């Protein structure tokens, strides 16, 4: 319900613009159609104009909130979509039927790319039945095996996103297999260091406490069993996973077995980049758009 | 329902004996009480006799299926429980209020320990709403970062367990973040090698196919989206996780968000070793006992 609520608030705001690279694809246009019907955004669609027009007519879509920019092939489409964001004509970048590597190449272009000196990282917001808040997980899609320094930046990126959806002081749990420091498990050592960096003011605007195991991060009962106090245990907003592989498997476990809905995007660039994969559901892709649009609002959107 | 079914079948068989190291603990005795009431096993309880008697009287337990062996402290209790298994007086070893490290020290004793030349590994059986079979996950508790050779043994151990619960030819998915080989992700390389070793007959009595991402391991639809054929995708019985950390987080995600029930034990020793942790529920501890007892039956127990 929290992502749905987020989505309905986005619909109340003045429209922002999403640039879609290689929108000439049936599944992509289903997402655009749904987002337009829900009044979430206007779209700049880059790709084969004829194909896009055909798909829009098939779906009886209104052309009012849609601008089509004809491009000859997917790579060009990626470049033009990135340029639109670079020049401020669009507010969010979204991947259509173009390989992630091709889109990221354009994003990293030195002349018109979207780097602003920050690490790129992925933030996903999960809406899980029976968990009383959005659970952010980072980074399950961008950084394979982040160093301690990269973990600091990944936390900073995710905290900025969490604050944009109304969490003044998000609670961050660097998770591991255990909740005690084990020098043989780097993730537990990093988690302890990140916690202390937070206490020293080197990581701001959040509360970090780790290592925590997943159960004591999200369950007060589990935390009490283990005698873990603190303000994060059992009330985690942001889970920092040690590696992309862990994040990926946790992500899929939540979607397939936890019946969670999810939206996510890459943060750290000039604008949010929605990279959802082919196998994501239409609904979750629409949530990703709504989540990205929420994160760039200046209006405060409290999702609780 | 599958674990429940497994449990009710165990109750029909002649009783086997579970040796509990350091049973003099309220929570442990709740588990023993429940297991006795369900007619799963007889128990040899090692620990402070007076304390155990007190707890049994509080719970109005029947002394018929329980033998108490007085030991002076937890370490001795671990040693005596292990010896009982070594001498064939008990069929399953279970950890009570003694640290895992202390119990394992006794298990690895050269004179009366339980090593039989195999790698020890943990197998957990998850009963997940909406998944049509038991999902075995290995190894989420014993081997931190298994090598390729250790992964072979972990698969072999888990296949033996899966076959003992009636799966003639279990389907094994070595999972990773992606379903293609990426030389920069060792888990994907190992998964490909394990698959080919299975085809060459070096890993027997099962079907191995990896790398698979979690979604295409357990969902036919997700596998089809990605164009993955084969007999394992979408029908996985056994998930081999790349590291203990991944296994641990997946385990907890399934229990807390997937509403799964689970039973598990260490395999590869002379007898199953149930190591459930303090924070496991009583029901899941009882399932662990039932699962361990099923795995050592010579009668075939088909759980479907």
């Amino acid at each position: 319900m929290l992502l749905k609520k987020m989505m309905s608030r986005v619909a109340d705001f003045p429209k922002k613009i999403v640039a879609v690279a290689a929108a000439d694809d049936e599944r992509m246009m289903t997402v655009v159609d749904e987002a337009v019907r829900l009044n979430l955004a206007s779209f700049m669609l880059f790709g084969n104009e004829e194909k896009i027009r055909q798909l829009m007519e098939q779906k009886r879509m209104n052309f009012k909130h849609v601008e089509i920019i004809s491009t000859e092939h997917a790579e060009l489409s990626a470049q033009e979509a990135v340029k639109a964001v670079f020049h401020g004509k669009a507010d969010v970048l979204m991947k259509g039927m173009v390989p992630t590597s091709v889109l990221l190449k354009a994003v990293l272009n030195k002349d018109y790319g979207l780097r602003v000196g920050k690490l790129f990282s992925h933030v996903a917001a999960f809406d899980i039945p029976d968990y009383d808040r959005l659970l952010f997980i980072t980074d399950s899609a961008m950084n394979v095996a982040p160093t301690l320094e990269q973990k600091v930046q990944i936390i900073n990126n995710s905290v900025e996103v969490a604050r944009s959806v109304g969490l003044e002081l998000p609670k961050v749990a660097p998770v591991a297999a255990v909740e005690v420091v084990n020098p043989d498990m780097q993730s537990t050592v990093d988690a302890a260091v990140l916690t202390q960096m937070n206490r020293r003011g080197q990581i701001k605007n959040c509360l970090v406490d780790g290592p925590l195991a997943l159960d004591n991060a999200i369950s007060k009962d589990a935390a009490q069993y283990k005698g873990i106090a603190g303000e994060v245990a059992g009330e985690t907003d942001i889970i920092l996973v040690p590696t992309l592989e862990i994040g990926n498997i946790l992500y899929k476990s939540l979607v397939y077995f936890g019946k969670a809905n999810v939206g996510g995007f890459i943060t750290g660039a000039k604008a949010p980049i929605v990279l959802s994969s082919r196998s994501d559901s239409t609904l979750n892709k629409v949530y990703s758009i709504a989540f990205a649009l929420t994160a760039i609002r200046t209006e405060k959107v409290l999702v609780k």
Side-chain angles (χ1 to χ4, degrees), chain A:
Chain A
M1 294 305 294
L2 295 168
L3 285 173
K4 204 171 173 183
K5 207 184 268 184
M6 183 190 284
M7 192 166 70
S8 71
R9 301 227 177 130
V10 170
D12 295 335
F13 292 127
K15 294 290 138 295
K16 295 273 183 181
I17 297 167
V18 179
V20 182
D24 43 3
D25 167 68
E26 212 282 322
R27 219 168 286 168
M28 189 63 234
M29 287 306 296
T30 304
V31 174
V32 173
D33 183 21
E34 190 68 18
V36 168
R37 280 179 211 280
L38 289 162
N39 209 22
L40 297 183
S42 297
F43 284 85
M44 291 175 79
L45 304 178
F46 296 81
N48 181 314
E49 181 165 5
E50 196 183 341
K51 178 94 186 278
I52 294 173
R53 281 196 176 276
Q54 260 176 21
L55 288 165
M56 288 183 69
E57 278 157 17
Q58 270 174 32
K59 293 176 191 300
R60 302 172 191 279
M61 279 179 68
N62 189 329
F63 281 73
K64 197 176 143 201
H65 293 291
V66 175
E67 180 185 355
I68 305 174
I69 299 96
S70 183
T71 53
E72 278 188 25
H73 52 75
E75 194 176 344
L76 212 57
S77 166
Q79 289 165 4
E80 293 303 316
V82 169
K83 282 182 196 166
V85 176
F86 178 79
H87 292 298
K89 293 186 210 157
D91 308 288
V92 169
L93 178 66
M94 183 161 190
K95 180 178 99 83
M97 268 304 274
V98 55
T100 303
S101 57
V102 172
L103 184 65
L104 286 180
K105 198 181 154 201
V107 167
L108 297 174
N109 181 286
K110 288 201 176 143
D111 295 325
Y112 56 79
L114 306 181
R115 294 198 66 164
V116 290
K118 291 205 242 176
L119 182 76
F120 287 4
S121 60
H122 189 266
V123 180
F126 288 86
D127 195 347
I128 311 167
D130 298 340
Y131 198 60
D132 69 343
R133 59 188 77 205
L134 283 177
L135 187 64
F136 298 87
I137 293 181
T138 191
D139 172 353
S140 60
M142 200 72 198
N143 296 285
V144 173
T147 61
L148 178 66
E149 279 200 335
Q150 289 173 325
K151 286 178 182 176
V152 171
Q153 297 183 63
I154 290 170
I155 291 178
N156 285 339
N157 281 353
S158 67
V159 165
E160 197 177 308
V161 169
R163 284 167 61 88
S164 75
V165 303
L167 297 170
E168 284 289 339
L169 197 66
K171 298 176 179 187
V172 183
V175 299
V178 288
E179 61 282 339
V180 289
V181 174
N182 177 341
D184 293 333
M185 294 175 141
Q186 190 57 40
S187 57
T188 67
V189 174
D190 285 358
V193 175
L194 293 166
T195 305
Q196 196 60 6
M197 288 178 79
N198 175 241
R199 292 218 183 90
R200 286 286 184 271
Q202 294 168 277
I203 301 173
K204 294 184 205 304
N205 296 325
C206 62
L207 287 172
V208 181
D209 194 3
L212 289 174
L214 182 65
D215 57 345
N216 36 60
I218 53 93
S219 157
K220 270 276 169 217
D221 285 349
Q224 274 166 359
Y225 265 131
K226 296 274 182 173
I228 301 166
E231 294 175 88
V232 177
E235 296 184 3
T236 297
D237 297 302
I238 300 173
I239 288 190
L240 174 76
V241 290
T243 64
L244 178 145
E245 203 160 53
I246 295 178
N248 180 283
I249 287 172
L250 178 57
Y251 187 113
K252 286 166 177 169
S253 166
L254 290 173
V255 169
Y256 282 87
F257 294 129
K259 304 195 188 310
N261 283 312
V262 61
F265 60 88
I266 304 286
T267 178
K270 183 178 159 74
I273 304 170
V274 177
L275 275 191
S276 55
S277 86
R278 259 203 307 166
S279 57
D280 287 324
S281 70
T282 299
L283 181 63
N284 286 344
K285 284 177 186 164
V286 173
Y287 281 148
S288 293
I289 294 172
F291 182 28
L293 289 165
T294 304
I296 55 170
R297 305 294 330 172
T298 45
E299 301 88 343
K300 183 151 290 177
V301 182
L302 184 62
V303 179
K304 263 200 177 155

